[in-house]
Amino acid sequence: MHDLTEKEARERALRLRREIREHQYRYYVLDAPTIPDSEYDKLYRELQDIERRFPSLVTPDSPTQRVGGEVSPAFRSVPHRSPVLSLSNAFSEGEVMAFVRRVQEFAGESRPVTYVVEPKIDGLSVILRYENGLLALGLTRGDGLTGEDVTRNVRTVKAVPLQLRGLPGEESVPEFLEVRGEVYLPKDDFVRLNEERKEAGLPLFANPRNAAAGSLRQLDPRVTARRPLRALFYEIREMIAPGDASGVLFPDPGDPAASPTTTETGTLEFLKGLGFPVPAYTTATSASELVSSISKWDEHRRTLPYDTDGIVIKLDDRELARRMGFTGHSPRASLAYKFPAEQVETKVLDIILQVGRTGVLTPTAILEPVRVSGSTVSRATLHNEDVIREKDVRIGDTVVLQKAGDVIPEIVSVIKEKRTGDEREFHWPDVCPACGGEVLRFPGEAAHRCTGMSCPAQLREKLIHFASRDAMDIRGLGPAVVDALLDAGLVKDAGDLYSLTAEEIRSLPRQGEKSAEKLIDAIDASRQRPLARLLFALGIRHVGQSASYSLADRFRSLDAFLNAGPDELAEVPDIGPLTANSIVRTRSQPSVTELIAKLKRAGVKAAVSQDEPARSPGGSLMGQTFVITGGLPGMTRQEAEEKIRELGGTVSSSVSKKTSAVIVGENPGSKLDKARELGIRIIPAEEFVAMAQGRGSRI
Ligand code: IVH
C-alpha cells in the first residue's frame, strides 16, 4: 500500500467503516454473509492500520472502537424511564387456551386475532438507548425500576449496533430510541468456554444464561469482549419516530403518524431495518394453529443456537394489546409458554443418605453427571423409602431424569429394559451414617430418622437453619462457616454462637479480620429478632414459619410459650394436637432447655413488637390457605407471607386439597405440578404482588 495522505486516509476509513458495518449487518442480523471471514478480517485490519497511523481519524462509533477505557470500580445504577415488565407464564395447553379465550372475549368474538410466536431466549434482558442514532446507554433489567449501566460492556457485543443503519441526522433514523432485547451466549460457545475454564482450573458456569450474565457484568469490558456474546431485540420501549416532529413517544399505536407500524411483526421488521438482530417468529390466527405452532417450536428449538425455555405469544395488533392493559407487572396481551421439562437418561452410581436437622434421613441418588434443562446434574433426591420402592430405583440403574419446575432434579422412572442383573437394591442401615445412633421409621411416617441425641449431622443442619434468612437471619453464617465452627469444636448448639469472640472466628480457615467482625455484628443483631422468628429458628418438628407466627401471636412471650399446656397449644390456629405434642416433647428435652437458657442469658430478646404481623380477624384473605412457590417480583418471600397473614390468611408449605390457592412466581417448584394435579387455583406472583402493594385488584 502506498503512503496515504491524510485526506485519502479519511476517505478510505469512511468507506471501510461503511463496508464493515454492512458486512456485520449481513452476518449478525440477516444471517447471510456475502464474503468469507478472511476477507472481512482483511478489511478490518486495514481500518485498524489506518487508524493507528492517523489517530485523529478515529471515531467513537468506528467498528474498531468496541472496547475502550479501563476497568470501572462498579456499575452505576440508572433508573429506567418506565418499568421493565415481565410476562405471565403458562405451563399447559389449557392455560394457552384460556389466554386465547380471554383475548377473544376482549377483542369481540367475531374479530380475527393474529398471534405472533417468538422463541423465549434464555439470556439476559438488556435495554439500549440510542440518541440521534448512536448507542448512548445500555442497562440491565435490574429490579425492573433501576438497572445497572453496562454500556461499555454491551458495546463489545458485535451484534449490538453502535450506530443505527442510515446515517445520523438522516430522516430514516429515530432521534430517540429505547429497545429491549436479550443478550445470550450461543450453546456451542458456552460448551467451549467451559472447556477452556476447566483446563485453566476456573469454576464452570452452570448454564449459558449464567455465563452470559457473568460475561456481561464484568468490570473489565475487555473480558466481556473476549466472550462471543450475541443479542436479539424484540421490543421498542420508546421512540421518537423518524421524521416525526411532534416528539410523541412510540409506542403510541393510537397515533399512526407517530409510529412506523401498528403491528408486532411490523415492529420486528422495523428493528431489523435499523440494524438490530431480531428473533425468528411465526404467526397463528386461531387457538388450534397456536397449539400446533407451539409443538413445532418445541421441535425446532433444539436446532436454535441459543437456549430457550419456552415461547412468547404476543398479539400482532399493538393497539388491541395496549387496550388489554396489565396485571401487575405483565401485559395481559402476552404470555410466556414454558416447555415441559426436558428428559434425559443417566445412571445411578450410588444412593447415599443425607441427615436433616430433625434427624430425617433423605436418600439421594448420586448420578453420572448429565446436562438437563441448561445445567449439569449429578444428584437427585429420592425423598424416602416409599418413593424408592414405588419407582424401584436400584444402584446401577439407568433412569430418566428431568427438572421439576425446571429447577429441581427428579428421577422420573427407571428404564428396566436396560438392567443387566448387576443392579443392587438400596438397604436402609440400622444406624445413622453420621453418628451411629439408631435409625427408626415411626408408624404412619414416610421418613426414616436418626434418633441419636447428639448427631453431628443434625447439629450442623440445625445451626444452618437457626441462622437462615427466615429464622434468625445471621448473615455470613452459612454451611461453610458452620462446618468450620463445628470442626474447631467452638459450638455445641446455637446458644454457643452468642459467646463466640472475633478472635475465635478469625482463627477459622478462610476468615479474615473484616469477615470475623461482620459475623460478630450479625450474631449480635440477631438478638433483636422477634419471637416468631426465634420459635421458627428452634426447628421444632411441625412448627414451620406459619405456625411460629400463630404461636407468637397467641403467647406474646417466650416464657408464656414455654409454659403453655398441650391443650392451650392445640387451640392455636394452625396448631393441631400433633404439633402441640411435638412442642411439648421438644420443650422438655434437656438439650433444648439448655439451649433456651443459653439464649436467654445471651440476651436474645424474642420480643413481640408493634410491627409483628398480627392476624386481622376481618382481613380479605380470612380463612384461606396459600402456598407460595418460586420467586416473587419485587417482594421477598417473607414479606409476601407476612402480607398474607396480615390479611387474615394462612401460609402453608405444602399443597393439599385444603389449599385455597398457589401463588406461582419465577422458577416454581413441584408445588405447581401438585396444584395442577389437584385443580387448585393458581395466582401469578405478579398479580399477588400488585394486590399486596395496593396496585392491583383483590386476588
Ligand atoms: S417480551 C413485557 N419476548 O423473558 C415483557 N421477552 O418475563 C416483554 N424474553 O425477562 C417481554 N425472549 O427478557 C419477550 N422473545 C421474547 C423474549 C423475552 C426472552 C425474556 C424477557 C423477560 C422474560 C419474560
Side-chain angles (χ1 to χ4, degrees):
M1 206 199 318
H2 72 280
D3 271 346
L4 296 173
T5 62
E6 181 159 349
K7 180 164 171 284
E8 284 170 333
R10 176 175 298 115
E11 277 161 15
R12 180 72 188 143
L14 203 70
R15 272 252 291 289
L16 282 169
R17 281 185 201 125
R18 265 195 216 160
E19 234 175 288
I20 289 169
R21 253 178 230 128
E22 189 58 30
H23 289 306
Q24 286 187 337
Y25 179 67
R26 290 188 188 173
Y27 186 86
Y28 290 106
V29 180
L30 304 181
D31 212 6
T34 47
I35 56 167
D37 289 2
S38 55
E39 259 174 64
Y40 171 84
D41 290 344
K42 238 164 84 187
L43 295 173
Y44 192 88
R45 276 198 304 270
E46 191 187 338
L47 178 61
Q48 272 184 321
D49 193 44
I50 293 177
E51 289 179 344
R52 215 174 1 251
R53 278 190 288 159
F54 300 94
S56 61
L57 294 183
V58 179
T59 56
D61 60 326
S62 169
T64 59
Q65 298 304 302
R66 287 191 175 265
V67 189
E70 57 297 319
V71 180
S72 69
F75 297 111
R76 182 170 68 108
S77 295
V78 178
H80 289 296
R81 288 172 58 92
S82 59
V84 184
L85 305 174
S86 58
L87 297 170
S88 334
N89 291 327
F91 296 87
S92 66
E93 251 175 46
E95 285 168 275
V96 175
M97 295 300 220
F99 166 76
V100 170
R101 270 198 303 278
R102 282 199 300 277
V103 171
Q104 204 64 65
E105 214 169 277
F106 188 90
E109 295 303 330
S110 56
R111 176 165 168 184
V113 173
T114 303
Y115 300 89
V116 182
V117 183
E118 292 168 13
K120 187 165 181 299
I121 307 130
D122 203 9
L124 186 79
S125 209
V126 290
I127 285 99
L128 303 183
R129 206 176 284 170
Y130 288 82
E131 283 164 10
N132 296 319
L134 295 180
L135 176 64
L137 188 68
L139 297 178
T140 61
R141 177 175 189 273
D143 63 2
L145 297 175
T146 306
E148 282 177 323
D149 180 349
V150 287
T151 312
R152 287 163 0 120
N153 299 31
V154 282
R155 280 178 67 89
T156 71
V157 179
K158 296 199 186 67
V160 168
L162 296 179
Q163 63 165 248
L164 300 177
R165 275 175 76 75
L167 290 173
E170 271 187 17
E171 278 208 342
S172 61
V173 172
E175 193 181 312
F176 180 89
L177 174 72
E178 199 172 277
V179 293
R180 173 175 182 179
E182 210 80 2
V183 168
Y184 66 91
L185 188 69
K187 289 190 263 192
D188 290 354
D189 291 305
F190 163 72
V191 173
R192 217 168 299 137
L193 176 63
N194 259 357
E195 271 165 13
E196 281 169 25
R197 290 176 72 85
K198 196 166 169 188
E199 262 166 42
L202 294 167
L204 304 187
F205 288 114
N207 52 49
R209 208 199 106 75
N210 287 358
S215 302
L216 194 70
R217 297 188 69 264
Q218 285 286 335
L219 292 177
D220 184 349
R222 282 170 304 189
V223 178
T224 311
R226 281 199 294 272
R227 305 270 167 84
L229 293 171
R230 291 291 195 100
L232 290 167
F233 295 86
Y234 46 75
E235 189 191 356
I236 296 179
R237 282 168 49 78
E238 281 185 292
M239 174 166 77
I240 297 178
D244 174 42
S246 69
V248 175
L249 290 174
F250 179 87
D252 182 4
D255 179 4
S259 45
T261 164
T262 55
T263 60
E264 195 61 39
T265 46
T267 303
L268 290 173
E269 294 307 323
F270 178 77
L271 281 173
K272 197 166 163 179
L274 289 177
F276 293 100
V278 298
Y281 60 83
T282 56
T283 56
T285 51
S286 66
S288 58
E289 258 183 55
L290 202 49
V291 168
S292 74
S293 93
I294 290 176
S295 55
K296 275 194 208 125
W297 275 103
D298 197 5
E299 265 313 301
H300 181 57
R301 71 175 167 138
R302 281 160 245 279
T303 66
L304 292 172
Y306 45 83
D307 262 358
T308 49
D309 57 346
I311 48 156
V312 183
I313 306 170
K314 302 172 182 178
L315 298 192
D316 199 28
D317 184 338
R318 297 189 41 247
E319 166 61 8
L320 178 61
R322 187 192 61 81
R323 281 199 287 116
M324 282 190 74
F326 303 90
T327 45
H329 284 298
S330 319
R332 281 211 175 82
S334 304
L335 188 70
Y337 168 80
K338 300 278 187 84
F339 292 121
E342 179 192 352
Q343 297 193 331
V344 296
E345 271 181 35
T346 188
K347 257 190 139 145
V348 177
L349 303 177
D350 199 0
I351 296 177
I352 59 158
L353 290 173
Q354 289 189 309
V355 189
R357 71 186 150 85
T358 55
V360 172
L361 298 172
T362 306
T364 304
I366 303 295
L367 306 168
E368 212 164 74
V370 63
R371 264 189 80 74
V372 56
S373 298
S375 74
T376 301
V377 168
S378 53
R379 44 176 69 202
T381 175
L382 287 165
H383 305 282
N384 56 48
E385 183 178 21
D386 297 344
V387 171
I388 298 184
R389 190 167 321 129
E390 242 163 62
K391 294 188 175 163
D392 189 16
V393 181
R394 301 180 192 176
I395 298 164
D397 265 339
T398 303
V399 293
V400 176
L401 184 82
Q402 71 174 28
K403 280 201 199 158
D406 250 10
V407 246
I408 306 145
E410 169 187 53
I411 291 179
V412 184
S413 60
V414 172
I415 307 177
K416 301 228 167 98
E417 300 76 56
K418 294 212 171 171
R419 280 194 175 151
T420 61
D422 292 338
E423 295 74 19
R424 283 182 294 124
E425 272 185 53
F426 174 73
H427 293 289
W428 286 85
D430 298 328
V431 294
C432 168
C435 72
E438 194 182 359
V439 169
L440 291 176
R441 179 173 173 175
F442 292 97
E445 282 192 9
H448 282 69
R449 281 171 195 283
C450 157
T451 55
M453 294 303 280
S454 50
C455 176
Q458 279 185 51
L459 175 57
R460 171 183 193 267
E461 300 306 317
K462 278 193 174 113
L463 287 169
I464 294 171
H465 171 71
F466 186 87
S468 66
R469 216 180 46 181
D470 293 333
M472 298 299 265
D473 193 16
I474 306 178
R475 299 278 157 89
L477 191 56
V481 180
V482 166
D483 284 340
L485 287 169
L486 289 171
D487 285 346
L490 288 172
V491 293
K492 301 249 166 334
D493 64 19
D496 292 339
L497 294 172
Y498 294 93
S499 44
L500 285 172
T501 64
E503 237 147 63
E504 283 170 330
I505 295 172
R506 256 200 315 273
S507 72
L508 301 175
R510 284 182 301 279
Q511 286 291 326
E513 189 100 7
K514 257 209 178 128
S515 52
E517 237 166 68
K518 267 198 183 153
L519 184 52
I520 289 284
D521 287 348
I523 293 172
D524 186 39
S526 76
R527 288 184 165 92
Q528 312 303 327
R529 302 281 177 260
L531 178 61
R533 278 167 167 269
L534 176 67
L535 295 182
F536 179 58
L538 292 177
I540 302 167
R541 270 186 75 198
H542 302 301
V543 180
Q545 258 185 298
S546 151
S548 307
Y549 274 94
S550 304
L551 289 165
D553 209 28
R554 165 73 180 73
F555 295 109
R556 321 290 297 174
S557 80
L558 183 57
D559 282 326
F561 165 77
L562 293 172
N563 295 328
D567 295 342
E568 231 179 312
L569 288 166
E571 274 167 20
V572 177
D574 279 351
I575 312 281
L578 181 77
T579 309
N581 260 335
S582 164
I583 294 172
V584 172
R585 241 181 301 125
T586 308
R587 258 183 347 195
S588 58
Q589 277 172 21
S591 62
V592 177
T593 47
E594 197 182 319
L595 166 65
I596 289 174
K598 276 188 203 170
L599 294 173
K600 281 185 176 170
R601 250 182 282 136
V604 172
K605 297 249 172 2
V608 178
S609 68
Q610 275 315 19
D611 10 301
E612 184 85 10
R615 248 156 225 288
S616 68
S620 60
L621 304 182
M622 192 66 199
Q624 300 190 54
T625 304
F626 295 86
V627 173
I628 305 176
T629 176
L632 302 153
M635 208 176 197
T636 66
R637 179 67 70 91
Q638 210 178 319
E639 284 163 353
E641 294 185 359
E642 284 178 3
K643 190 72 198 176
I644 292 173
R645 285 192 206 96
E646 196 184 299
L647 295 172
T650 306
V651 182
S652 165
S653 57
S654 59
V655 180
S656 74
K657 275 185 280 181
K658 288 190 193 145
T659 310
S660 316
V662 177
I663 296 165
V664 179
E666 195 81 344
N667 287 326
S670 56
K671 289 171 194 167
L672 175 59
D673 302 332
K674 188 78 192 280
R676 288 220 184 88
E677 207 176 288
L678 297 176
I680 308 280
R681 184 174 159 222
I682 291 165
I683 300 176
E686 289 87 349
E687 219 169 285
F688 170 78
V689 171
M691 185 280 301
Q693 296 174 345
R695 290 178 288 111
S697 50
R698 289 170 66 125
I699 56 168

